[in-house]
Amino acid sequence: MNITELINLIKQDENCEVRPANKEISLPTNIPNDLKEFYELTDGIWLFEKKSFGINIVGRKDFIPTSKRLYPADDIMWDELEGSVSNEWYLIAETEQLSQYISIDLTEERLGQCYDSFYEIHTLEGDSEIVAKNFTELLKNLYANKGEHWYWLQDDFEKLGDAYDEPNI
């Protein structure tokens, strides 16, 4: 299933809200094609907002480096992250109530990989689990779990590695 078909499927679900596209805010030029198509068609999606594990796929305005979202510029931790590869990890999904964030990698070597960026483990080597190989896979899996759990924490999830593992180019 491609990203357009997936968005059309989600639009039919009364438990999800697909926001109309907003092309006024520019995006980084190095985003994966499926994400580019997503933002051409939407300005984000709320998946199962009323469920325990509902999550917001962010719109263009909130598509910023995850570290900037989690650690404001005046926070001492931001200085520690200067020059880090994680500065190329952009916020793609969040639910503030649970401190759960998901990042998408915009580095050339790992373009499109998505990581668990739970507040307490974001950027920690060995704890930055890859939760999807690309954005379409992330959206498909988040939609399939229907807001019931984080799919990558389930026993049957096939581990994909850590953000700091050698890239599979």
Side-chain angles (χ1 to χ4, degrees):
M1 178 176 300
N2 69 37
I3 195 72
T4 301
E5 294 168 333
L6 186 53
I7 291 168
N8 288 333
L9 176 66
I10 294 170
K11 280 182 180 178
Q12 297 172 28
D13 192 318
E14 64 185 27
N15 297 301
C16 300
E17 176 195 348
V18 177
R19 294 183 294 275
N22 172 5
K23 298 178 186 174
E24 295 175 12
I25 299 171
S26 61
L27 295 165
T29 57
N30 59 327
I31 66 172
N33 289 335
D34 60 347
L35 187 59
K36 190 179 299 182
E37 187 174 342
F38 175 82
Y39 282 122
E40 289 293 317
L41 299 171
T42 80
D43 193 38
I45 297 176
W46 250 112
L47 295 171
F48 311 102
E49 184 176 10
K50 294 180 178 18
K51 297 290 229 161
S52 297
F53 293 90
I55 195 160
N56 179 37
I57 309 299
V58 301
R60 287 178 181 234
K61 178 177 75 70
D62 294 317
F63 188 71
I64 61 172
T66 307
S67 294
K68 286 187 177 183
R69 172 71 172 82
L70 299 182
Y71 316 117
D74 59 350
D75 189 343
I76 197 162
M77 190 167 192
W78 179 248
D79 293 334
E80 297 170 12
L81 295 172
E82 286 298 320
S84 170
V85 67
S86 65
N87 287 337
E88 293 298 316
W89 300 356
Y90 276 64
L91 180 66
I92 192 61
E94 68 178 340
T95 178
E96 286 186 71
Q97 300 86 333
L98 299 176
S99 299
Q100 180 62 59
Y101 303 88
I102 299 173
S103 299
I104 189 166
D105 197 325
L106 296 188
T107 62
E108 185 178 337
E109 303 82 17
R110 296 171 175 86
L111 187 64
Q113 283 188 170
C114 299
Y115 310 132
D116 182 354
S117 287
F118 180 69
Y119 182 79
E120 294 178 7
I121 61 169
H122 174 64
T123 74
L124 294 179
E125 189 169 350
D127 284 328
S128 295
E129 183 173 1
I130 301 169
V131 299
K133 295 176 188 169
N134 57 59
F135 176 68
T136 302
E137 181 180 296
L138 174 73
L139 185 58
K140 179 181 166 210
N141 289 337
L142 288 171
Y143 180 68
N145 81 23
K146 305 289 185 198
E148 298 295 327
H149 51 76
W150 301 130
Y151 70 86
W152 62 91
L153 298 178
Q154 302 306 300
D155 292 337
D156 62 347
F157 179 70
E158 185 178 326
K159 300 295 182 191
L160 302 171
D162 186 78
Y164 293 93
D165 292 347
E166 284 296 314
N168 294 329
I169 301 176

